[in-house]
């Protein structure tokens, strides 16, 4: 699923967090999973962001069957970074659940700029993208 609530938390141990709407179809799987991955999208990956923002959408039909050391499908193509995580903590976040993940492995690309979502629209570091979400 697409999340904008991703944040770094701690370096030692290496922790990240994100919050998930209690109505999300992915919530039960995330709660039950013993591993998952976070991909940071590059500025040209608006379509991918929109694809993963649709409940019941075809999130995986298009992808290469790429899995890594954990069972989660980690390798979205051409992303800026990937964090493989194991569950560390879960907190009540009102109508969201806050997931804290312990990073077990990560990859980053030295080139490229992030896709930014602000004020209901996608942006790049240089300005606003033409299309909205
Ligand atoms: C840019 C963007 C950021 C989003 N951030 C979050 C988020 O942080 N948490 C969340 O629960 N949903 C977020 N959403 C909405 C989910 O991606 C969307 O509800 C998705 O359909 C959930 O998929 P699922 O129902 O299959 O789990 C975001 C959507 C977009 C477009």
């Amino acid at each position: 699923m697409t999340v904008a609530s991703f944040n770094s938390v701690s370096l030692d141990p290496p922790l990240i967090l994100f919050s998930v709407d209690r109505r999300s179809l992915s919530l039960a799987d995330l709660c039950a999973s013993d591993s998952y991955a976070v991909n940071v999208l590059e500025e040209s990956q608006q379509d991918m962001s929109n694809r993963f923002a649709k409940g019941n959408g075809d999130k995986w039909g298009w992808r290469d069957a790429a899995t890594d050391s954990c069972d989660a499908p980690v390798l979205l193509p051409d992303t800026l970074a990937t964090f493989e995580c194991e569950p560390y903590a879960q907190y009540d976040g009102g109508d969201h659940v806050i997931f804290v993940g312990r990073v077990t492995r990560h990859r980053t690309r030295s080139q490229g700029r992030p896709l930014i979502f602000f004020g209901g629209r996608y942006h790049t570091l240089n300005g606003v993208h033409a299309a909205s979400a």
Side-chain angles (χ1 to χ4, degrees):
M1 64 181 293
T2 301
V3 299
S5 51
F6 175 80
N7 246 295
S8 58
V9 175
S10 160
L11 288 176
D12 186 17
L15 303 177
I16 56 89
L17 72 72
F18 54 94
S19 63
V20 175
D21 192 313
R22 292 187 185 277
R23 294 167 302 181
S24 166
L25 301 175
S26 307
L27 183 63
D29 285 342
L30 272 169
C31 288
S33 177
D34 55 13
S35 64
Y36 51 78
V38 177
N39 288 272
V40 179
L41 298 184
E42 198 261 339
E43 65 181 5
S44 66
Q45 296 182 309
Q46 214 179 114
D47 288 349
M48 192 176 291
S49 174
N50 286 336
R51 179 182 286 271
F52 280 92
K54 291 192 183 91
N56 268 336
D58 179 15
K59 292 185 170 74
W60 298 109
W62 56 278
R63 78 186 177 104
D64 293 332
T67 57
D68 215 287
S69 58
C70 65
D71 290 334
V74 295
L75 294 176
L76 297 185
D78 304 322
T79 56
L80 279 187
T82 303
F83 299 92
E84 289 181 50
C85 301
E86 60 187 23
Y88 184 83
Q90 236 180 71
Y91 300 102
D92 174 28
D95 62 7
H96 283 54
V97 177
I98 300 167
F99 288 87
V100 178
R102 185 182 197 283
V103 179
T104 54
R105 196 172 163 197
H106 72 280
R107 296 178 202 80
T108 54
R109 239 174 65 194
S110 53
Q111 302 285 323
R113 291 181 297 197
L115 180 61
I116 294 166
F117 192 73
F118 171 71
R121 304 185 70 174
Y122 292 109
H123 299 252
T124 68
L125 287 177
N126 287 333
V128 181
H129 259 294
S132 58

